[in-house]
Structures are given as C-alpha cells and as structure tokens.
Amino acid sequence: EAQVTQNPRYLITVTGKKLTVTCSQNMNHEYMSWYRQDPGLGLRQIYYSMNVEVTDKGDVPEGYKVSRKEKRNFPLILESPSPNQTSLYFCASSFGWAASYEQYFGPGTRLTVT
Amino acid sequence: AQSVAQPEDQVNVAEGNPLTVKCTYSVSGNPYLFWYVQYPNRGLQFLLKYITGDNLVKGSYGFEAEFNKSQTSFHLKKPSALVSDSALYFCAVRDAGSARQLTFGSGTQLTVLP
C-alpha cells in the first residue's frame, strides 16, 4: 500500500530533551515536506526537500532541523524542544517538486513539550 | 507573499442539501489551487486541484470546485451532502513557479446534520 508513515504518533517530552520524528514514504517520491498544524492557523510549512541532500526552509523553520540522506526518509529533529513547539506535525510527499503535484500526508504526530 | 482565506470556521448543512465551503486566495503568479480533507485523527487527504483549463474541477467523493480568477476564489461544492462528509476542509494555494511554498487556509469544519 502506498503510504507515508510517521513515528511516533504521540510523544510527550520535556523541555530541552532532543527528539526525532521519523517520516518514510514508499512511493519513490522526490519531494518531501514537514508541516505543523495549530488551531486557527491551518498548516504551516517547516522544511521541505526537493531530493536527496537538498533541503530548504519553509515558513517556520526556527528550532527544527531536517536531513534527507535517502529518498524515502525525511526525519524531523528538535534539538532542544520548547513548549511553543507543542503541535500536531505532518510529513508529506509528492511525486515531484513541481507546483502542480498534490501532496500525500502521513497520519500525524502529536507532540507535547512540558 | 501568498495567502489563503477561508472565511467560515464552521459550516453546518442538512443531509441531502447542497454544500459550499468558501476559499479566496492571493498569489503573485499563476495559482495552483488544492482542496484537502482531514477526518478526525487522520492526515490530510487530497480531494481535487485546479492547475489550468476548465474552471470547474471535479474530484473525489462527488466534490467539485469552481475557479474564479476575477474573484480570486476557489469554492468547494457538493450537490447533495452526506453525514460522512463531516470533516475539516483545507484550501491551499501554490504559485505555479514555486517549488517551495504550499500555503494553507485555516480550515473550515463542515458538519452535515442528519
């Protein structure tokens, strides 16, 4: 089954404790992206990747890191999480980076930072 | 900068009645427009998109949307609503020349009443 998977689905952590949220897609997609969803704000892009070893900042990159060493994986790293990073996070992928391609979303990771 | 406005946080409609979820956008270049749906505890699912051509776009589950360039709108419609259509709907825009930014609206919660 074609899908985007994220792990973990739920995570509660404390301020300053480094964490990684994994994202993997099995569709051989070139483009991958991370979003955060907050009430009343919709989804905001954190980082995106147009291909292996090619990443760039979205609208809200502060406090996050990403890497794209393999085509299928795009982990999101929070080196020192803070409470304002409590949110619902989605990974997404698309066939290519052209603007016409729709994105496929993972199930989401709900992160709470205390 | 590009933006999307979904002026209604909540739309209620009776089952069997037509539904409309409104979306207006602002983008400097040619717009590519998307509708996504989010069911509880799930990721976003692609419904339909406008890239070019016919202003009336048909998508999944009987939904359609009409692109209106002069009014910069892309309203989502369905002739006869089902209770199972109840979900959170997001409109999104991307500049045709940009690989980077898919900008989402804040979302509209659709409730179809039996």
Side-chain angles (χ1 to χ4, degrees), chain A residues 37 45 59 100 102-103, chain B residues 36 38 49 90 99-101:
Chain A
Q37 182 181 13
Q45 189 178 50
D59 293 324
S100 60
E102 65 270 20
Q103 295 186 19
Chain B
Y36 289 85
Q38 184 180 27
K49 66 182 177 183
F90 289 98
R100 174 175 170 267
Q101 192 176 11

Side-chain angles (χ1 to χ4, degrees), chain A residues 99-103, chain B residues 32-36 46-52 54 56-60 65 74 92:
Chain A
S100 60
Y101 289 114
E102 65 270 20
Q103 295 186 19
Chain B
Y32 289 167
L33 294 152
F34 302 82
W35 275 102
Y36 289 85
F46 168 73
L47 271 182
L48 51 80
K49 66 182 177 183
Y50 171 82
I51 303 301
T52 188
D54 195 347
L56 184 63
V57 178
K58 295 188 182 297
S60 306
F74 190 56

